[in-house]
Amino acid sequence: MAFHACEKDDCDDPDSHVMYLAKSDDGSDWSIIEEFDTLSGSVPELIYYNNYLYLFTPGDIYQYDACFQKVAQIEFDVSGDQDGLADPSVILDDAGDINLFFLPSFNDEDLTGCNSYPCIKQIQHATPDDDSLESFTGTVTAAIEALISSGSFSDPEVVLRSDGTYIMYVS
């Protein structure tokens, strides 16, 4: 499991977040993977793909071998009209293909909330152009969108259910 924690006083600032990996044999008791060198960052997502672990963060993918040693750091981008992305959520579908869900980032708007309420926030979807994982192509329509009148809409987490359908949790 990948997760982030705060190591400074300002936990609301993503710049103070540090990413870790943890392991568990039963899903209840977890321990930090000591072989993993922590990274600065927030909202990490971990998948096993093509015999490597891939840790997704906004704009970067870290590739690890079976001993948790970094093999590569891959800068990636997603086609579309967004300026960037935040809060990546990654799943492998039934065919073993990577599906990336994310908040699009635009320079002139509040990333998770609204400049003025109400507004429509979206979670976008993209797939990699090839196994290099350096570029992803977004779908034309949003994976999900919501009209929010207060607060925020962020941190998507997509879960594949046993019946083949998906659930997306958001903050």
Side-chain angles (χ1 to χ4, degrees):
M1 167 176 55
F3 68 96
H4 73 262
C6 178
E7 291 194 345
K8 297 180 184 175
D9 292 336
D10 187 7
C11 291
D12 290 335
D13 180 3
D15 289 336
S16 70
H17 295 171
V18 177
M19 297 181 290
Y20 295 89
L21 293 184
K23 62 183 176 180
S24 173
D25 291 329
D26 61 10
S28 293
D29 295 316
W30 292 86
S31 60
I32 300 293
I33 296 173
E34 300 295 334
E35 297 85 359
F36 175 76
D37 292 328
T38 60
L39 298 166
S40 294
S42 191
V43 195
E45 189 72 23
L46 187 66
I47 62 167
Y48 182 74
Y49 177 72
N50 286 346
N51 298 315
Y52 289 97
L53 285 172
Y54 290 89
L55 181 68
F56 282 73
T57 65
D60 287 305
I61 304 168
Y62 298 90
Q63 181 184 26
Y64 291 91
D65 64 18
C67 296
F68 305 104
Q69 299 304 305
K70 188 175 3 175
V71 174
Q73 179 176 348
I74 304 163
E75 290 185 31
F76 76 99
D77 62 0
V78 177
S79 66
D81 59 357
Q82 74 276 348
D83 298 315
L85 63 94
D87 301 347
S89 179
V90 184
I91 62 167
L92 296 177
D93 62 21
D94 289 337
D97 296 325
I98 293 176
N99 288 264
L100 170 67
F101 298 87
F102 61 94
L103 257 71
S105 171
F106 301 98
N107 286 332
D108 61 341
E109 74 176 42
D110 185 318
L111 181 60
T112 62
C114 301
N115 289 347
S116 63
Y117 291 94
C119 74
I120 294 175
K121 299 304 284 188
Q122 296 182 339
I123 305 292
Q124 297 287 333
H125 171 256
T127 55
D129 295 335
D130 55 41
D131 281 343
S132 75
L133 305 182
E134 292 174 350
S135 62
F136 286 68
T137 298
T139 54
V140 175
T141 59
I144 190 170
E145 64 182 24
L147 176 65
I148 62 171
S149 56
S150 65
S152 64
F153 185 74
S154 63
D155 302 316
E157 185 62 37
V158 179
V159 178
L160 175 62
R161 298 172 49 165
S162 61
D163 66 1
T165 61
Y166 297 89
I167 293 176
M168 181 182 293
Y169 297 97
V170 294
S171 295

